[in-house]
Amino acid sequence: MKHIFKFIKKSVIAGLTALILCSCSATKFVPDGEYLLNNVKIESDVPEYRSMELRPYLRQQPNYKMFGLNKTTFQIYNLAGKNNRNWFNRFLKKLGEPPVIFDSTLVYKTNSEFQKLLVNKGYVDVDVTSEIMRHNKKADVIYRIKGNEPYRIRVYATSIEDSLIRNELYGGMNGEPLRRIAGESSTLRTSYVKAGMLFDRNLLDAERERLTTILQNRGYFTFEKENIIYDADSSLNAHAVDLELKLRTLQEPVTNDSTTYYSPYKEFYYGNVFIYLDYDPLRISNINNYPKQDSIVSNGYTIYYYGKKPSLRTRTLLNNCFITPGRQYSQLREELTYSSFSTLHALNNIHIQFDEKQRNDSALLDCHILTMAAQKQAVSFAVDGTNTSGDLGVATSVNYTHRNLFRGAETFNFRIRGAYEAMTDFSNPYLELGGEASIHIPKIVFPFINNSFLRRMRTSTEFTLSYNYQTRPEYDRTLLSGGIRYSWQGRTKMAARHQFDLLDIDYVYLPRIDEVFLQNLPRSARYFGYANQFIFGTSYSFYHSSFDPMQKQKRSAHSFRFSLESAGNALYGLSSLFDWDKDERGSYRLLNTPFAQFVKGDVDYTKTIVMDRQNSIAWRIGGGIGIPYGNSEMLPFEKRYYSGGANSVRAWSVRELGPGNYVSNAATTFFNQSGDIKLDMNIEYRSRFFWKLEAAAFIDAGNIWTIKSYEGQEGGEFKLNTFYKQIALGYGIGLRLDFDYFLLRLDGGMKAYNPAQTGKDKWTIFHPNFGENFAWHFAVGYPF
């Protein structure tokens, strides 16, 4: 192993040396008479637009700097020779980035981009200049931007003659619309334009979008953003604009109830709503060719199907349809119908189309909803390689799925899994066998739930039952679990998710345990960690994220997660009330088996700051605490925390850190390195490398602690005056292979501060040892 680390070390040094040397010949691929774009600098006195905000508008940028420091990919390209017939040269050029050849015409185009941007932002008198410096076949460019005094809106007024539209937009309190559509974002009710603000044309356009969205949600099916215009007058005041919003020139007067008003804009109402089941566009060219063998008419809806009976029940379809006959057209209701139907796993796709009708002087829309069925049943197989702290193994699973079990889009899933792992420290391998069955229902199945709540939220209910058998050299273990889970989420974009486990039951049974292993365990661990046990729990979790998966371009985002779990309280109350039997430790028993009693809470916050298309910084802080009480002196092993591993402090292998400054030895079991309190703090700089590879540099900190002093976990107890001295610190680098739909990750972490050491030896950063202080991690997805 030491030879391998020496080889890696020498290879890294050699690679860095080669990159440094090749940087000396950075212009060897720059043709004579041309210049390498070496550096671009932006100097701006506009407060809102400094250098970082303006860089995306550059028409030509220099070669990309990895971590913002070094042009690594460009240097890799320069390592290649000029002979393109050599496969190695072609390989290096494909991996690297060719030199950016300076183009003076793009400088002038960039000047124009900056000018246009800042004029649109209200800086009408902006001055943009550029300076080009050429030397040694390299060119540097400096852009200088002087904003001068911007134009501001002095007076903002609206002039809308159509009383219906005026009332919809400004008829309510505080200038807000009279009505609010269910699921409509509250931000749509706030004007973007106000007196005193910059004459920002982008915000003026956003205000047009806002007003158009409001009208399209209130019946104006054909209304477009271009129907809203502005009159701007800047002749009376220096650097001040009087602004008036109005609708386009009206076409003809309309008389209604002896009142004449001007409105070419029609309010549309939904007419008939037709739902087509099992619509196959490969076999059916249009709705007129749909084989309408039978239909169901209900509350103004007509459901067409072919076959003996509809593939989905009427109630399931109507509960997920927000387009109601007789109501005003709303674009939002159309979007809600799309999103609600898309959550039904029995459907593969839907399409909505409208036909305009004129009936009794009313503008109507007949709606046709075409639903395409998903494959009803499927069987899948998977084989995975595993690596647990150097122990290699293989896992395989068989999965059966039925996506429409009771014709209500219920998903039934049955899975069988097996795993085998060769353990280096034992002659006997690790073996795991298990099965799981679940039914997912796309609504909350619970009495007294208000139907309006179900319409406002995306809801689901899940029933699960699982069995797992593990055999290790130390013990055999069986886990039987079952539960009922409710989930709900608002229908607005990026709404928070809630999950409530009404019942989560685990029964742990150990038919065999090695006597030597048992004797090495602390007494409390033998009783609460490696013994038969019931866990009757209830939990709630909350998750919110500002990350939008529909955004093509990555943007800064954050996420927050909170969970709270409680177990054993109801059983403890019944035990006390009916005076159930106790064991020798004074714990109540259910069916001659003790049950756990505890409360546990976790919180996690993550922030990702996107600096540009190639660079981002992500950080995370999270922690949790579990408190045993009543019937338990210690948390069940399954509920305890551990530290180290691919998603924690990566300088340690999984379950090798803590608790506190606990020192492990040859006789230590992985139970000893678990705790009741956990803290994780991570920061990571992510930078594009080449192709689909991304590089990262990270710093991790954290540890676990016990809530009280336990035998066999000396030094692990959490104490306010010492815990901060026991926070481990690690650093490292990693590579990620990003395929968009999933990401493979390889991280290498190095210990910087090890609380298990003493004195100066704690600071391992000053005397690194790859053999003892380094850990590799291979995982799927980002660590946070």
Side-chain angles (χ1 to χ4, degrees):
M1 184 64 72
K2 291 182 179 180
H3 296 295
I4 295 176
F5 284 125
K6 287 182 179 179
F7 174 77
I8 294 174
K9 184 178 180 180
K10 290 179 179 179
S11 299
V12 171
I13 293 174
L16 292 174
T17 303
L19 289 176
I20 292 171
L21 290 175
C22 78
S23 64
C24 300
S25 58
T27 60
K28 76 174 184 177
F29 286 106
V30 177
D32 292 337
E34 302 285 353
Y35 295 87
L36 171 72
L37 182 59
N38 182 56
N39 190 36
V40 173
K41 184 178 180 181
I42 303 174
E43 298 175 355
S44 170
D45 68 355
V46 179
E48 298 86 357
Y49 283 89
R50 298 297 186 182
S51 177
M52 185 64 70
E53 290 80 10
L54 290 169
R55 293 198 75 84
Y57 297 91
L58 291 170
R59 296 300 297 268
Q60 188 179 38
Q61 299 197 39
N63 287 97
Y64 158 68
K65 286 186 178 181
M66 190 172 173
F67 298 124
L69 300 173
N70 187 62
K71 298 180 181 181
T72 308
T73 53
F74 173 54
Q75 292 170 351
I76 291 175
Y77 188 93
N78 278 340
L79 285 174
K82 294 187 176 182
N83 182 7
N84 288 330
R85 294 182 179 181
N86 185 300
W87 70 269
F88 186 68
N89 290 339
R90 295 196 305 270
F91 174 72
L92 289 176
K93 288 183 177 180
K94 186 176 291 187
L95 290 184
E97 182 185 29
V100 176
I101 305 301
F102 171 69
D103 187 342
S104 60
T105 61
L106 295 180
V107 173
Y108 303 115
K109 289 183 179 179
T110 299
N111 287 342
S112 177
E113 287 289 325
F114 288 157
Q115 184 94 19
K116 187 189 307 180
L117 168 70
L118 291 166
V119 166
N120 284 338
K121 290 295 178 182
Y123 292 87
V124 180
D125 299 326
V126 63
D127 291 327
V128 181
T129 59
S130 55
E131 181 183 355
I132 302 170
M133 294 163 287
R134 300 176 176 89
H135 55 91
N136 298 329
K137 297 189 73 174
K138 296 180 182 179
D140 294 335
V141 183
I142 300 177
Y143 295 95
R144 296 184 176 92
I145 299 172
K146 186 176 181 181
N148 297 314
E149 186 179 354
Y151 278 72
R152 295 185 178 275
I153 298 173
R154 188 180 73 90
V155 177
Y156 175 61
T158 59
S159 176
I160 299 177
E161 297 181 24
D162 189 318
S163 61
L164 294 178
I165 291 182
R166 185 172 62 251
N167 286 338
E168 288 289 358
L169 296 178
Y170 303 107
M173 295 292 293
N174 302 319
E176 295 177 353
L178 286 173
R179 295 174 292 124
R180 184 176 175 188
I181 305 299
E184 184 179 73
S185 173
S186 60
T187 57
L188 287 177
R189 308 171 76 190
T190 304
S191 175
Y192 297 135
V193 182
K194 295 179 176 64
M197 62 174 280
L198 289 172
F199 184 59
D200 189 335
R201 301 182 189 186
N202 293 336
L203 279 182
L204 297 184
D205 195 59
E207 176 68 2
R208 295 168 68 205
E209 292 274 8
R210 184 185 75 86
L211 299 178
T212 300
T213 299
I214 291 175
L215 292 175
Q216 289 180 345
N217 285 336
R218 286 163 174 78
Y220 293 88
F221 174 68
T222 58
F223 194 89
E224 297 178 351
K225 181 181 70 173
E226 288 70 21
N227 294 327
I228 299 174
I229 58 176
Y230 294 99
D231 280 346
D233 185 2
S234 61
S235 60
L236 300 179
N237 300 280
H239 296 95
V241 179
D242 292 345
L243 193 67
E244 183 180 25
L245 179 145
K246 56 176 65 176
L247 298 186
R248 281 194 179 278
T249 305
L250 306 176
Q251 299 175 357
E252 56 180 342
V254 177
T255 302
N256 186 15
D257 297 331
S258 301
T259 302
T260 301
Y261 65 95
Y262 293 82
S263 179
Y265 310 112
K266 298 178 183 179
E267 284 186 274
F268 284 81
Y269 291 80
Y270 293 117
N272 299 313
V273 178
F274 304 99
I275 301 176
Y276 301 80
L277 292 177
D278 303 320
Y279 187 91
D280 186 353
L282 297 178
R283 297 192 299 110
I284 304 169
S285 57
N286 56 66
I287 57 176
N288 296 323
N289 297 329
Y290 182 87
K292 304 174 183 177
Q293 295 182 4
D294 210 341
S295 64
I296 298 173
V297 179
S298 176
N299 299 323
Y301 296 90
T302 302
I303 301 171
Y304 291 114
Y305 65 95
Y306 51 89
K308 295 182 180 180
K309 57 184 178 182
S311 56
L312 284 169
R313 292 198 301 268
T314 301
R315 179 177 294 181
T316 300
L317 292 167
L318 300 190
N319 283 345
N320 289 279
C321 183
F322 291 82
I323 298 174
T324 307
R327 296 192 66 173
Q328 275 187 327
Y329 166 80
S330 168
Q331 185 184 53
L332 180 59
R333 292 193 183 100
E334 180 183 347
E335 293 171 357
L336 289 176
T337 301
Y338 268 115
S339 63
S340 187
F341 271 85
S342 67
T343 61
L344 302 179
H345 297 162
L347 299 178
N348 188 40
N349 196 9
I350 71 163
H351 177 67
I352 300 175
Q353 60 187 51
F354 296 100
D355 289 335
E356 295 186 32
K357 304 288 183 181
Q358 193 74 25
R359 299 173 189 167
N360 300 326
D361 298 328
S362 297
L364 297 180
L365 292 171
D366 281 352
C367 176
H368 303 269
I369 303 176
L370 315 179
T371 69
M372 285 140 252
Q375 183 180 357
K376 185 178 291 187
Q377 301 182 68
V379 177
S380 60
F381 303 88
V383 178
D384 302 308
T386 63
N387 184 350
T388 306
S389 300
D391 296 331
L392 302 179
V394 63
T396 183
S397 63
V398 181
N399 193 76
Y400 168 77
T401 302
H402 194 299
R403 297 185 177 90
N404 196 15
L405 189 63
F406 303 119
R407 295 178 44 244
E410 303 89 355
T411 301
F412 171 75
N413 192 76
F414 179 71
R415 181 169 176 256
I416 299 176
R417 182 180 185 273
Y420 175 90
E421 191 172 278
M423 306 187 71
T424 55
D425 297 334
F426 301 92
S427 57
N428 296 324
Y430 166 78
L431 180 65
E432 179 181 350
L433 298 172
E436 179 182 348
S438 65
I439 297 178
H440 178 276
I441 302 172
K443 65 178 182 179
I444 286 184
V445 181
F446 196 82
F448 315 117
I449 295 295
N450 192 302
N451 189 61
S452 63
F453 173 80
L454 299 177
R455 298 281 286 180
R456 292 196 311 271
M457 299 284 179
R458 297 188 184 100
T459 62
S460 67
T461 303
E462 188 172 17
F463 300 91
T464 60
L465 182 66
S466 65
Y467 172 84
N468 182 270
Y469 171 77
Q470 302 172 2
T471 177
R472 296 177 59 93
E474 309 96 332
Y475 59 82
D476 291 344
R477 180 174 176 272
T478 296
L479 176 63
L480 181 64
S481 302
I484 304 173
R485 172 175 295 172
Y486 297 109
S487 302
W488 65 95
Q489 181 180 13
R491 294 189 182 275
T492 55
K493 195 174 184 180
M494 293 181 289
R497 296 202 302 264
H498 305 261
Q499 182 176 293
F500 176 59
D501 286 18
L502 176 65
L503 191 62
D504 187 4
I505 303 175
D506 294 319
Y507 173 61
V508 181
Y509 174 65
L510 283 86
R512 178 189 66 84
I513 185 165
D514 183 75
E515 282 298 326
V516 177
F517 171 77
L518 191 63
Q519 292 303 318
N520 286 330
L521 288 173
R523 291 180 59 194
S524 54
R526 298 177 211 167
Y527 190 80
F528 293 100
Y530 290 91
N532 301 341
Q533 187 170 201
F534 275 112
I535 304 174
F536 281 76
T538 299
S539 65
Y540 166 79
S541 64
F542 170 90
Y543 176 75
H544 179 264
S545 174
S546 64
F547 172 72
D548 186 0
M550 302 304 293
Q551 288 285 349
K552 293 182 179 179
Q553 189 171 0
K554 292 182 178 180
R555 294 185 177 181
S556 298
H558 68 271
S559 67
F560 175 77
R561 188 190 306 273
F562 167 77
S563 65
L564 183 65
E565 181 180 5
S566 177
N569 295 323
L571 287 179
Y572 190 82
L574 290 173
S575 302
S576 301
L577 181 63
F578 295 104
D579 194 21
W580 289 358
D581 290 339
K582 294 184 177 181
D583 58 21
E584 66 276 7
R585 298 182 66 92
S587 298
Y588 288 108
R589 295 185 298 179
L590 172 65
L591 301 178
N592 205 32
T593 302
F595 57 87
Q597 188 176 8
F598 63 88
V599 62
K600 183 181 178 184
D602 294 88
V603 64
D604 186 277
Y605 181 81
T606 300
K607 176 78 173 181
T608 301
I609 303 170
V610 176
M611 302 165 64
D612 52 44
R613 289 185 300 173
Q614 290 87 17
N615 298 278
S616 63
I617 296 176
W619 60 270
R620 185 265 299 267
I621 181 169
I625 180 171
I627 303 174
Y629 61 96
N631 216 52
S632 296
E633 296 178 11
M634 177 180 285
L635 286 178
F637 177 67
E638 294 79 8
K639 301 297 182 180
R640 299 196 98 197
Y641 298 105
Y642 61 89
S643 192
N647 299 316
S648 184
V649 186
R650 284 164 280 185
W652 279 259
S653 296
V654 64
R655 293 188 182 275
E656 285 193 356
L657 173 60
N661 58 9
Y662 171 80
V663 180
S664 62
N665 53 59
T668 296
T669 68
F670 53 84
F671 180 88
N672 296 81
Q673 297 197 271
S674 61
D676 312 308
I677 300 173
K678 183 175 184 178
L679 176 65
D680 271 325
M681 297 178 289
N682 315 80
I683 187 167
E684 186 170 273
Y685 192 120
R686 299 165 182 169
S687 187
R688 184 183 65 83
F689 194 15
F690 59 84
W691 185 53
K692 295 183 178 296
L693 277 177
E694 178 184 82
F698 58 82
I699 299 174
D700 299 330
N703 206 335
I704 55 173
W705 294 267
T706 59
I707 200 73
K708 60 178 104 171
S709 179
Y710 291 116
E711 178 191 351
Q713 293 185 297
E714 291 75 14
E717 184 180 4
F718 180 88
K719 295 180 181 179
L720 280 175
N721 61 341
T722 59
F723 87 94
Y724 62 91
K725 301 177 183 177
Q726 299 168 349
I727 296 176
L729 187 65
Y731 61 96
I733 58 174
L735 283 177
R736 288 82 193 276
L737 191 57
D738 189 356
F739 292 102
D740 295 330
Y741 48 92
F742 79 99
L743 179 140
L744 298 177
R745 171 166 57 97
L746 178 65
D747 287 336
M750 192 76 178
K751 295 180 179 68
Y753 177 79
N754 187 353
Q757 298 291 340
T758 58
K760 295 181 180 180
D761 291 339
K762 289 177 180 286
W763 291 99
T764 54
I765 190 172
F766 298 121
H767 44 87
N769 184 316
F770 276 93
E772 297 178 1
N773 300 326
F774 188 81
W776 287 107
H777 301 283
F778 180 76
V780 177
Y782 283 117
F784 52 90

Coordinates of all heavy atoms in Angstrom, one line a residue, residues 116-162:
K116 N -25.8 48.4 -24.3 CA -27.2 48.0 -24.4 C -27.7 47.6 -23.0 O -28.8 48.0 -22.6 CB -27.3 46.9 -25.4 CG -28.8 46.5 -25.7 CD -28.8 45.3 -26.5 CE -28.0 45.4 -27.8 NZ -28.1 44.1 -28.6
L117 N -26.9 46.8 -22.3 CA -27.4 46.3 -21.0 C -27.6 47.5 -20.0 O -28.7 47.6 -19.4 CB -26.3 45.4 -20.4 CG -26.4 45.1 -18.9 CD1 -27.6 44.1 -18.7 CD2 -25.1 44.5 -18.3
L118 N -26.7 48.5 -19.9 CA -26.8 49.5 -18.9 C -27.8 50.6 -19.4 O -28.5 51.2 -18.5 CB -25.5 50.1 -18.7 CG -24.5 49.2 -17.9 CD1 -23.1 49.6 -18.0 CD2 -25.0 49.0 -16.5
V119 N -28.0 50.8 -20.6 CA -29.1 51.7 -21.1 C -30.4 51.1 -20.7 O -31.3 51.8 -20.2 CB -29.0 51.9 -22.6 CG1 -30.3 52.5 -23.2 CG2 -27.8 52.8 -23.0
N120 N -30.6 49.8 -20.9 CA -31.8 49.1 -20.5 C -32.1 49.2 -19.0 O -33.2 49.1 -18.5 CB -31.8 47.7 -20.9 CG -32.1 47.5 -22.4 OD1 -32.7 48.4 -23.0 ND2 -31.7 46.4 -22.9
K121 N -31.0 49.3 -18.2 CA -31.1 49.4 -16.7 C -31.3 50.9 -16.3 O -31.3 51.1 -15.1 CB -29.8 48.9 -16.1 CG -29.7 47.3 -16.2 CD -30.8 46.7 -15.5 CE -30.8 45.2 -15.6 NZ -31.9 44.5 -14.9
G122 N -31.4 51.9 -17.2 CA -31.6 53.2 -16.8 C -30.4 54.1 -16.9 O -30.5 55.4 -16.8
Y123 N -29.2 53.6 -17.2 CA -28.0 54.4 -17.4 C -27.9 54.8 -18.9 O -27.1 54.3 -19.6 CB -26.8 53.6 -16.9 CG -26.8 53.4 -15.4 CD1 -27.4 52.3 -14.9 CD2 -26.2 54.3 -14.6 CE1 -27.4 52.1 -13.5 CE2 -26.2 54.1 -13.2 CZ -26.8 53.0 -12.7 OH -26.8 52.8 -11.3
V124 N -28.8 55.7 -19.3 CA -28.9 56.1 -20.7 C -27.6 56.8 -21.2 O -27.2 56.7 -22.3 CB -30.1 57.0 -20.9 CG1 -30.2 57.4 -22.4 CG2 -31.4 56.2 -20.4
D125 N -26.9 57.5 -20.3 CA -25.7 58.3 -20.7 C -24.4 57.5 -20.3 O -23.4 58.2 -20.1 CB -25.7 59.6 -19.9 CG -26.9 60.5 -20.3 OD1 -27.4 60.4 -21.4 OD2 -27.4 61.2 -19.4
V126 N -24.5 56.2 -20.3 CA -23.3 55.4 -19.9 C -22.2 55.6 -20.9 O -22.4 55.7 -22.1 CB -23.7 54.0 -19.7 CG1 -24.2 53.4 -21.1 CG2 -22.5 53.1 -19.2
D127 N -20.9 55.6 -20.5 CA -19.8 55.6 -21.3 C -19.0 54.3 -21.2 O -18.7 53.9 -20.1 CB -18.8 56.8 -20.9 CG -19.4 58.1 -21.3 OD1 -20.1 58.2 -22.2 OD2 -19.1 59.1 -20.5
V128 N -18.8 53.6 -22.3 CA -18.1 52.4 -22.3 C -16.9 52.5 -23.2 O -17.0 52.8 -24.4 CB -19.0 51.2 -22.8 CG1 -18.2 49.9 -22.8 CG2 -20.2 51.1 -21.9
T129 N -15.7 52.3 -22.7 CA -14.5 52.3 -23.5 C -13.7 51.1 -23.2 O -13.9 50.4 -22.2 CB -13.6 53.6 -23.1 OG1 -13.3 53.5 -21.7 CG2 -14.4 54.9 -23.4
S130 N -12.7 50.8 -24.1 CA -11.9 49.6 -23.9 C -10.4 50.0 -24.3 O -10.2 50.8 -25.2 CB -12.4 48.5 -24.8 OG -12.5 48.9 -26.1
E131 N -9.5 49.3 -23.7 CA -8.1 49.4 -24.0 C -7.5 48.1 -24.3 O -7.7 47.1 -23.5 CB -7.4 50.1 -22.8 CG -5.9 50.3 -23.1 CD -5.2 50.9 -21.9 OE1 -5.9 51.3 -20.9 OE2 -4.0 51.0 -21.9
I132 N -6.8 48.0 -25.4 CA -6.1 46.7 -25.8 C -4.6 46.9 -25.7 O -4.0 47.8 -26.2 CB -6.5 46.4 -27.3 CG1 -8.1 46.3 -27.4 CG2 -5.9 45.1 -27.7 CD1 -8.5 46.2 -28.8
M133 N -4.0 45.9 -25.0 CA -2.5 45.9 -24.8 C -2.0 44.6 -25.4 O -2.3 43.5 -24.9 CB -2.2 46.1 -23.3 CG -2.6 47.4 -22.8 SD -2.6 47.4 -21.0 CE -4.1 46.5 -20.7
R134 N -1.1 44.7 -26.4 CA -0.5 43.5 -27.0 C 1.0 43.5 -26.6 O 1.7 44.5 -26.7 CB -0.7 43.6 -28.5 CG -2.1 43.7 -29.0 CD -2.2 43.8 -30.5 NE -3.5 43.8 -31.1 CZ -4.3 44.9 -31.2 NH1 -3.8 46.0 -30.9 NH2 -5.5 44.7 -31.7
H135 N 1.4 42.2 -26.3 CA 2.8 42.0 -25.9 C 3.1 40.6 -26.0 O 2.4 39.7 -25.5 CB 3.1 42.6 -24.5 CG 2.2 42.0 -23.5 ND1 2.6 40.9 -22.7 CD2 1.0 42.4 -23.0 CE1 1.6 40.7 -21.9 NE2 0.7 41.5 -22.0
N136 N 4.3 40.2 -26.6 CA 4.7 38.8 -26.7 C 3.7 37.8 -27.1 O 3.4 36.8 -26.5 CB 5.3 38.4 -25.3 CG 6.5 39.2 -24.8 OD1 7.2 39.7 -25.7 ND2 6.6 39.4 -23.5
K137 N 3.0 38.2 -28.2 CA 1.9 37.4 -28.8 C 0.7 37.1 -27.8 O 0.0 36.2 -27.9 CB 2.5 36.0 -29.2 CG 3.5 36.1 -30.3 CD 3.8 34.7 -30.9 CE 2.7 34.2 -31.7 NZ 3.0 32.9 -32.4
K138 N 0.6 38.0 -26.8 CA -0.5 38.0 -25.9 C -1.2 39.3 -25.9 O -0.6 40.4 -26.1 CB 0.0 37.6 -24.5 CG 0.6 36.3 -24.3 CD 1.0 36.0 -22.9 CE 1.7 34.7 -22.7 NZ 2.1 34.4 -21.3
A139 N -2.5 39.3 -25.6 CA -3.3 40.5 -25.6 C -4.1 40.5 -24.3 O -4.8 39.6 -23.9 CB -4.3 40.5 -26.8
D140 N -4.1 41.7 -23.7 CA -4.9 42.0 -22.5 C -5.9 43.1 -22.9 O -5.6 44.0 -23.6 CB -4.0 42.5 -21.3 CG -3.1 41.4 -20.9 OD1 -3.4 40.2 -21.1 OD2 -2.0 41.7 -20.3
V141 N -7.1 43.0 -22.3 CA -8.2 43.9 -22.6 C -8.7 44.4 -21.3 O -9.0 43.7 -20.4 CB -9.3 43.3 -23.4 CG1 -10.3 44.3 -23.8 CG2 -8.8 42.6 -24.7
I142 N -8.9 45.8 -21.2 CA -9.5 46.4 -20.1 C -10.7 47.2 -20.6 O -10.7 48.0 -21.5 CB -8.5 47.4 -19.4 CG1 -7.3 46.7 -18.9 CG2 -9.3 48.1 -18.2 CD1 -6.3 47.6 -18.3
Y143 N -11.9 46.8 -20.0 CA -13.1 47.6 -20.3 C -13.4 48.5 -19.1 O -13.4 48.1 -17.9 CB -14.3 46.6 -20.4 CG -14.2 45.6 -21.6 CD1 -13.7 44.4 -21.4 CD2 -14.6 46.0 -22.9 CE1 -13.6 43.5 -22.5 CE2 -14.5 45.2 -23.9 CZ -14.0 43.9 -23.8 OH -13.9 43.1 -24.8
R144 N -13.7 49.8 -19.5 CA -14.0 50.8 -18.4 C -15.4 51.3 -18.7 O -15.7 51.8 -19.8 CB -12.9 51.9 -18.5 CG -11.5 51.4 -18.2 CD -10.5 52.6 -18.1 NE -9.2 52.2 -17.7 CZ -8.2 51.8 -18.5 NH1 -8.5 51.8 -19.8 NH2 -7.1 51.4 -18.1
I145 N -16.2 51.2 -17.6 CA -17.6 51.6 -17.7 C -17.9 52.7 -16.7 O -17.6 52.6 -15.5 CB -18.5 50.4 -17.4 CG1 -18.2 49.3 -18.4 CG2 -20.0 50.8 -17.4 CD1 -19.0 48.0 -18.1
K146 N -18.3 53.9 -17.2 CA -18.7 55.0 -16.4 C -20.2 55.2 -16.5 O -20.7 55.6 -17.6 CB -17.9 56.2 -16.8 CG -18.2 57.4 -15.8 CD -17.3 58.6 -16.2 CE -17.6 59.8 -15.2 NZ -16.7 61.0 -15.6
G147 N -21.0 54.9 -15.5 CA -22.4 54.9 -15.6 C -23.0 56.3 -15.7 O -24.1 56.5 -16.4
N148 N -22.4 57.4 -15.1 CA -23.0 58.7 -15.1 C -24.4 58.6 -14.4 O -24.8 57.6 -13.9 CB -23.1 59.3 -16.5 CG -21.7 59.5 -17.1 OD1 -20.8 60.0 -16.4 ND2 -21.6 59.1 -18.3
E149 N -25.1 59.7 -14.4 CA -26.3 59.8 -13.6 C -27.4 59.0 -14.4 O -27.7 59.3 -15.5 CB -26.8 61.3 -13.4 CG -28.0 61.4 -12.5 CD -28.4 62.8 -12.3 OE1 -27.7 63.7 -12.8 OE2 -29.5 63.0 -11.7
P150 N -28.1 58.1 -13.7 CA -29.1 57.3 -14.4 C -30.5 58.0 -14.4 O -30.7 59.0 -13.7 CB -29.2 56.1 -13.5 CG -28.9 56.5 -12.1 CD -27.9 57.6 -12.3
Y151 N -31.3 57.5 -15.3 CA -32.7 58.0 -15.3 C -33.6 57.3 -14.3 O -33.4 56.0 -14.2 CB -33.3 57.8 -16.7 CG -32.9 58.9 -17.7 CD1 -31.6 59.0 -18.2 CD2 -33.8 59.9 -18.1 CE1 -31.2 60.0 -19.1 CE2 -33.4 60.9 -19.0 CZ -32.1 60.9 -19.5 OH -31.8 61.9 -20.4
R152 N -34.5 58.0 -13.7 CA -35.4 57.4 -12.7 C -36.8 57.7 -13.0 O -37.1 58.7 -13.7 CB -35.0 57.8 -11.3 CG -33.7 57.3 -10.8 CD -33.4 57.7 -9.4 NE -32.1 57.2 -8.9 CZ -31.9 55.9 -8.5 NH1 -32.9 55.1 -8.4 NH2 -30.7 55.5 -8.1
I153 N -37.7 56.9 -12.5 CA -39.1 57.1 -12.8 C -39.6 58.2 -11.8 O -39.6 57.9 -10.5 CB -39.9 55.8 -12.7 CG1 -39.5 54.8 -13.7 CG2 -41.4 56.1 -12.8 CD1 -40.1 53.4 -13.6
R154 N -40.1 59.3 -12.2 CA -40.6 60.4 -11.4 C -42.1 60.1 -11.0 O -42.4 60.2 -9.8 CB -40.5 61.7 -12.0 CG -40.8 62.9 -11.1 CD -40.6 64.2 -11.8 NE -41.7 64.4 -12.8 CZ -42.8 65.1 -12.5 NH1 -43.0 65.6 -11.3 NH2 -43.8 65.2 -13.4
V155 N -42.9 59.8 -12.0 CA -44.3 59.5 -11.8 C -44.7 58.3 -12.6 O -44.3 58.1 -13.7 CB -45.2 60.7 -12.3 CG1 -46.6 60.4 -12.2 CG2 -44.8 62.0 -11.6
Y156 N -45.4 57.4 -11.9 CA -45.9 56.2 -12.6 C -47.4 56.1 -12.4 O -47.9 56.2 -11.3 CB -45.3 54.9 -11.9 CG -45.8 53.6 -12.5 CD1 -45.7 53.3 -13.8 CD2 -46.5 52.7 -11.7 CE1 -46.1 52.1 -14.3 CE2 -47.0 51.5 -12.2 CZ -46.8 51.3 -13.5 OH -47.3 50.1 -14.0
A157 N -48.1 56.0 -13.6 CA -49.5 56.0 -13.6 C -50.0 54.9 -14.5 O -49.3 54.5 -15.4 CB -50.1 57.4 -14.0
T158 N -51.3 54.5 -14.4 CA -51.9 53.5 -15.3 C -53.1 54.2 -15.8 O -53.9 54.9 -15.2 CB -52.3 52.3 -14.5 OG1 -53.2 52.6 -13.5 CG2 -51.0 51.6 -13.9
S159 N -53.4 53.9 -17.1 CA -54.5 54.4 -17.8 C -55.2 53.3 -18.6 O -54.7 53.0 -19.8 CB -54.1 55.6 -18.7 OG -55.2 56.0 -19.5
I160 N -56.1 52.6 -18.1 CA -56.8 51.4 -18.7 C -58.3 51.7 -18.8 O -59.0 51.8 -17.8 CB -56.5 50.1 -18.0 CG1 -55.0 49.8 -17.9 CG2 -57.3 49.0 -18.6 CD1 -54.6 48.6 -17.1
E161 N -58.8 51.9 -20.0 CA -60.2 52.3 -20.2 C -61.1 51.1 -20.0 O -62.2 51.3 -19.5 CB -60.4 52.8 -21.6 CG -59.6 54.1 -21.9 CD -59.8 54.6 -23.3 OE1 -60.9 54.3 -23.9 OE2 -59.0 55.3 -23.9
D162 N -60.7 49.9 -20.3 CA -61.5 48.8 -20.1 C -61.7 48.5 -18.6 O -60.8 48.2 -17.8 CB -60.9 47.5 -20.7 CG -61.8 46.3 -20.7 OD1 -62.5 46.1 -19.7 OD2 -61.8 45.6 -21.7

